Amino acid sequence: MTWETVIGLEIHTQLKTKSKIFSGASTEFGAKANTQACAVDLGFPGVLPVLNKEAVRMALRFGLAVNATINKHSIFARKNYFYPDLPKGYQISQFEIPIVGNGAIDIPLDNGEMKMVGITRAHLEEDAGKSIHDLYDDYTAIDLNRAGTPLLEIVSEPDMSNAKEAVAYAKKIHTLVQYIDICDGNMQEGSFRCDANVSVRRVGEGLGTRAEIKNINSFKFLEKAINLEVERQIDILEDGGSVAQETRLYDSIKNETRSMRSKEEANDYRYFPDPDLLPVVIDDELLKEIKDRLPELPSEKKARFIDNFGLSEYDAENLTSQKAMADYYEIIIDKGADVKLSANWVMGELSASLNKNQIDIQDSPISAPELFNLISRITDNTISGKIAKDVFRLMWDEKRSVDEIIKDQDLEQMTDVGALELVIDEIIAKNLNQVEQFKNGNTKLLGFFVGQVMKATQGKANPKQVNQILNDRLS
Amino acid sequence: MSLDKKQVKEIAYLARLSIEDEELEQSTSELNNILSLMDDLNEIDTGDVEPMAHPLHMSQRLRDDEVTEENLAEEFQAIAPKTGKSHFLVPTVIE
């Protein structure tokens, strides 16, 4: 039996405003519990929510960036449920008319092609507080600092058909919200949270029943959680059972999903328009102003990298996947470095070292101008690409300049052709057997000779020159 | 449209209203009276009328994004039933 997976994502992005969506309390992360929760956030009687202008502008920035319909007239609704970290007993959200309507974004697939994923809507709402369950034995502790933090909930169409695509989509949105500077993207601190709606169906059949997986706070967990859930649903269906429509929690420690609420009937939120808030009206002037001020979007930057620098689709996609990485790369290129070689260094050695040490590129121990210097020493033939990797390590560890390291370690490439010829002649003389074989057609042995020369020169010979001289001598 | 007693019980549960069984009959019939008024309203053809989200014909005023609230945690906590280490405490919630 062949199964098909259908995935849609709901992504909650915390907007980077200074104050809350409906009150003047601070949104700064990490403050002492409840010191940033004012009477409005606490749901005191008699208070009135007043909408934050910047939250509206940020939502519009997103809408314009994904070519979405903007609803010039949107309304806020109350989503009613009872939970201790929701003091009012309702969350102010948008239901019938969200500020951002239908849009779309392209995601890269494994085979190098792009796929368009639809965005159903994006709406403004307030975040809830935090419940802390492990602080006391007999109580749950409540911190309402987060209550009222503005969120933009971005809802996708069920357009993704495997966990990899879901991750690619989530990463795309993650990149975009940082490019347009509406969210810091910090998943550890909960600024960017994903819920996945997952269902499976037999090929050609209608949609299956979906389960919603919550509590996914990294891209790695998103992929794992979806794969686990797909397996679980297929197992149930193949055993003749049926999948329950429910909310499931992903447990990254046990690597399982488990049912979160058994009483699904409680999931009736009885939305109605919030009488405390008037309709939000967006005029054309504001929309135009926001559009004019939008920064270069990832897709535009990618196109420019391909057109201006002649990069491949793959390299351009990769380099623009983080704004800070694209900026880093452009500093190197602006200084005049080789386009392709620089792309390889940024995506290869540099990214690998940053990943390994879990450092953001903004905090890289090797700055863009320093990496430019290293790359220049390769292109001007001072050092070989192989030696450059050793220099890179020393730059990383000891924070010394390229030229200092090359000088101190005596790494400069051999440029004296006569000296190189001497070395090569000596090696040929020592390996007459291999010379014989090579001349009899075993051309693979060229690699052996190059290796010997590199060994004898501690890697300082110029590989191009070595090849040339060897070919002369052996032919 | 009308509701039966079971639905009224469910609605009361969702709103955390306690309705005793002996009150259920009365609540159900009162709610259904209100709903019948809605049925009357539904008779009117509103095809040409724009939906109204708020009775005031105004749009939402927006605030500048500035922190204007000071920390009044102590005052708020003083009137809370139970607090500890600057948290509000509630009976254990198990998800």
Side-chain angles (χ1 to χ4, degrees), chain A residues 122-138:
Chain A
H123 61 258
L124 282 166
E125 61 182 26
E126 57 179 343
D127 209 343
K130 264 184 195 157
S131 299
I132 304 139
H133 301 287
D134 54 6
L135 217 50
Y136 297 87
D137 286 340
D138 305 325

Side-chain angles (χ1 to χ4, degrees), chain A residues 50 66 69 102 148 190 255 302 317 356 378 393 449 470:
Chain A
V50 188
V66 294
T69 326
N102 251 301
N255 198 31
K302 179 181 161 185
E317 174 71 35
K356 196 174 145 206
I378 306 170
R393 289 259 64 82
F449 286 107
L470 274 170

Side-chain angles (χ1 to χ4, degrees), chain A residues 413-444:
Chain A
Q413 205 154 243
M414 281 177 75
T415 42
D416 183 348
V417 180
L420 188 56
E421 281 174 341
L422 275 177
V423 174
I424 291 177
D425 288 340
E426 208 171 298
I427 286 167
I428 289 177
K430 273 192 208 156
N431 298 284
L432 290 173
N433 234 336
Q434 281 84 348
V435 175
E436 187 72 24
Q437 287 178 41
F438 182 85
K439 285 187 172 164
N440 286 335
N442 189 354
T443 49
K444 277 187 198 152

Side-chain angles (χ1 to χ4, degrees), chain A residues 55-76:
Chain A
V56 173
R57 298 175 72 107
M58 287 179 174
L60 295 174
R61 278 225 282 282
F62 178 79
L64 291 170
V66 294
N67 281 318
T69 326
I70 303 293
N71 287 318
K72 291 188 178 161
H73 184 106
S74 70
I75 55 176
F76 281 96

Side-chain angles (χ1 to χ4, degrees), chain B residues 1-37:
Chain B
M1 182 191 175
S2 75
L3 298 167
D4 60 28
K5 281 194 249 177
K6 188 170 166 271
Q7 286 169 311
V8 173
K9 242 188 146 154
E10 278 169 13
I11 293 164
Y13 169 74
L14 287 172
R16 299 297 187 274
L17 295 173
S18 120
I19 294 186
E20 303 296 328
D21 282 346
E22 49 269 30
E23 299 168 289
L24 197 55
E25 187 85 43
Q26 197 191 342
S27 297
T28 307
S29 90
E30 281 173 5
L31 263 176
N32 281 331
N33 281 339
I34 295 168
L35 284 174
S36 75
L37 294 176

